[in-house]
Amino acid sequence: METLVACLAGFLVSMAIWLMLSGNLMRFLFGLLLLSNGVNLAILAAGRLTPGAPPLLGTSGALPPDTMANALPQALLLTAIVIGFGLFAFALALTIRAYRSFGHLEVDRMRSAEPAEDS
Amino acid sequence: MNSLILSVGARFLTGLFLLFSLFVLLRGHNSPGGGFIGGLIGAAGFVLYSFAAGVEDARRALRVDPRAIGVWGMAIAVLSGLASALAGLDPFTGLWLILADLALSTVLVFDIGVYLAVFGAILTLVFALEETV
Amino acid sequence: MSWVLALPILIPFVTAVLAFLLRGSRMGDLASVAGAVVSLAAAVLLVAVVLDRGVVAGQVGGWQAPYGITLVADHLSAAMVLITAIIGLAVAVWSLAEIGPESSRLGYHALFQSLLGGVTGAFLTGDLFNLYVWFEVLLISSFGLLVIGGRKQAIDGAVKYVTLNLIATVLFLAGAGLLYGATGTLNMADLRGAVAASPDQGLMTLIAMMLMVAFGMKAAVFPLFFWLPASYHTPHYAVSAVFAGLLTKVGVYALMRVFTLIFVGDIGYTHEILLWVSLLTMLTGVLGAAAQSDFRKILSFHIISQIGYMVLGLALMTPLAVMGAVFYLLHHIIVKTNLFLIAGVSRRLTGSSDLYAIGGLYRSAPLLAALFIIPAFSLAGFPPLSGFWAKFVIVRASLDLGEWLVAGVALLVGLLTIFSMTKIWAEAFWKAHPEGRQPALADLPPSARWQMMVPIIALAVMTVAIGAFPSAFLDFATKGAEQLLDPAAYVAAVLGEARR
């Protein structure tokens, strides 16, 4: 199961890199989204996919059964997803602003901060 | 968006979402749930409402600036962490007040702060995106 | 003990909340300054405790290491926290003069304080994943600060800054996740033992390289620095001053922490790469600066070349070299922030940052010219200023190792730095203003004048003081380097004596 998830993560990352090599900001952002999803999957796989009960105490403090799921990778993932969501939303808003002020999303043609020497 | 089904449904669903988000928030300590996921569900309710009725109406229904909700949430979360100083414990240590069957804690206060922070932040972002598109 | 460590992080966030609630009013601006003063007091307290007791550690929420989140301060961390607080106060005061009511209403001061909180958190955390979270906090705040001016140029700079930093972020996350998968821990002190004991050293080196690329991108080393000169000259001057002082240094700090504490198993490989990276960083940075004609762009490229010196000290990995790197880090933050603040005043007086369009400041604003000389010569490494000692120690350390090429490059870059500083001096200060204007400090309104000049004078005095009385600071840096190279005290403070 881990192998399968790891392969899927690798596939996502390769797709992401292909998208990110594009000069279009929108495609780059989609690539970035895929990349962070690929990494999140990799973390989940790195924490081992153990089927089992949630690691929470039962009523009146009863211990959970012996096979518990590893909670830490999930906590890390949750944090990473939240942060990724916030950053992505910002990047999206920035992209809209950029489209408004430049009229296009080709990164190579955004030269207002670093004008070319001959212009 | 001009969909009769959506605009009628959203009115009921938003209330339901908010109620369910509070349920998830409060069950969070000993079962799956908590402030974060609760805040997301609550925000989803208002996002749905803004899709159906427009951002302006959603802002009016919310009454408060979502940014202020988020900042107050952060303030509550930080203050709940500071409370353990009064007991001479490490920062963010949980303090418990047991009243018969009811267990109240600074952990819950922290979770409420997280709920508000997530709720406010998500709505700030989504409203801003909807308004610019 | 935990509270001494937690307060420098908590105070900026409380201040951010206050500043946001009072945003747009004069009270909000003043809350930011007041918060910065309190932060400074907390940082001084932390340094005093660290000087008294050595490495101190605390656990958040009372959860024991390595399970909970640990906060640790050794000499390096404590000094970085103090410098952050000093820069925070200086720029908060300076902002009063530059940041108008519009940016203030958008929450400039709240973002600024949460940036400081994020930076402080990154310096104090003892947990790799927590470091990731602090990186994100400061990244999100910096995104906000970058676009808050709202000009077209700033949007363009922000696009490049945001995209490249997001890639670094994802790489950092991947490295941390894989490290957890391989060792089962994320506590940095615990990782030291776990990484050394790992049966798969090749994998450890791979993860080390992932983190090196991620931190390297944050620190703007060759060949990952392109986002920096594309964005640092676009926002408000106060914003670029605090970015220039603190943001890349968080990357350098993370490199220093991780490559002295955790990944020391294959120094011949990892630190050799760091060595070449640092040499190329120094050279490309300083050559890039020589080609520029904008005040802030020149300074931005110099950040890159100076980062090279710090990474060089880390790469050589001798006690003297690491001491040099620590000293360089501390001195550089003060000098660089000050130069950007001076660039801001010069822009305010002359109305442009293009060096060919301004001039005459030496005649009309001699105080500013004198204050420019101090950090500029310190950056280039003139005695008796702080930069001289920083460069001297690093060059000496490379000569001790017989690395003639390294020492040669370090000296050459120092020379080229003088060239750039002379260029700014000649164009902005020495030559007459092309339109014959006489921009004087007296043109500023009185309140803006002291708000802008007091921080600059204070930072310049610090530069001179470090240069004139270097022994105390060098001793401090030596102690910091000892703790970095022999982290037994660090590990013991975090995990307790038993697991030493």
Side-chain angles (χ1 to χ4, degrees), chain A residues 2-21:
Chain A
E2 273 97 354
T3 321
L4 194 65
V5 176
C7 287
L8 181 59
F11 177 72
L12 281 177
V13 170
S14 59
M15 288 289 103
I17 289 174
W18 181 70
L19 277 171
M20 283 162 59
L21 289 176

Side-chain angles (χ1 to χ4, degrees), chain C residues 225-240:
Chain C
F225 60 79
F226 299 103
W227 56 272
L228 194 150
S231 59
Y232 270 27
H233 63 284
T234 58
H236 287 303
Y237 277 82
V239 173
S240 54

Side-chain angles (χ1 to χ4, degrees), chain C residues 132-392:
Chain C
Y132 165 77
V133 173
W134 290 124
F135 265 57
E136 299 314 303
V137 170
L138 71 88
L139 203 57
I140 290 184
S141 319
S142 70
F143 288 174
L145 287 173
L146 202 53
V147 296
I148 213 163
R151 294 178 307 139
K152 188 172 174 182
Q153 222 191 12
I155 302 288
D156 187 8
V159 166
K160 284 140 196 175
Y161 177 88
V162 167
T163 48
L164 287 170
N165 272 290
L166 286 181
I167 296 178
T169 293
V170 176
L171 268 176
F172 182 10
L173 182 63
L178 292 181
L179 198 55
Y180 173 74
T183 61
T185 181
L186 283 168
N187 184 295
M188 292 204 272
D190 202 27
L191 272 173
R192 180 178 172 83
V195 167
S198 165
D200 196 350
Q201 285 301 314
L203 180 63
M204 292 303 131
T205 308
L206 176 76
I207 295 172
M209 294 313 296
M210 286 180 86
L211 292 183
M212 189 192 285
V213 173
F215 295 150
M217 215 178 240
K218 303 272 179 199
V221 296
F222 180 88
L224 307 165
F225 60 79
F226 299 103
W227 56 272
L228 194 150
S231 59
Y232 270 27
H233 63 284
T234 58
H236 287 303
Y237 277 82
V239 173
S240 54
V242 76
F243 280 16
L246 296 174
L247 287 199
T248 48
K249 310 312 172 298
V250 179
V252 176
Y253 168 84
L255 278 176
M256 284 170 89
R257 181 63 74 202
V258 166
F259 283 94
T260 56
L261 181 64
I262 303 175
F263 297 111
V264 287
D266 195 0
I267 287 186
Y269 182 76
T270 52
H271 288 60
E272 180 76 17
I273 293 180
L274 281 177
L275 180 67
W276 286 103
V277 161
S278 68
L279 293 182
L280 289 168
T281 307
M282 284 153 66
L283 277 173
T284 45
V286 86
L287 291 177
Q292 299 299 324
S293 62
D294 181 282
F295 207 143
R296 272 201 286 186
K297 276 190 191 170
I298 293 180
L299 295 180
S300 300
F301 272 102
H302 274 292
I303 300 175
I304 298 166
S305 91
Q306 307 284 314
I307 293 287
Y309 282 96
M310 299 164 211
V311 179
L312 173 61
L314 171 65
L316 295 174
M317 207 54 185
T318 63
L320 191 64
V322 175
M323 184 270 255
V326 171
F327 188 84
Y328 213 112
L329 193 57
L330 301 176
H331 124 85
H332 175 77
I333 295 176
I334 297 176
V335 165
K336 202 78 216 187
T337 307
N338 205 3
L339 281 172
F340 270 87
L341 294 181
I342 291 169
V345 177
S346 133
R347 156 80 209 238
R348 177 84 172 254
L349 292 179
T350 58
S352 173
S353 63
D354 181 1
L355 288 178
Y356 297 129
I358 64 176
L361 283 171
Y362 173 69
R363 184 178 298 271
S364 55
L367 175 63
L368 190 68
L371 287 169
F372 171 77
I373 285 288
I374 293 171
F377 276 16
S378 179
L379 195 73
F382 274 80
L385 297 159
S386 59
F388 166 71
W389 299 104
K391 280 204 172 59
F392 175 76

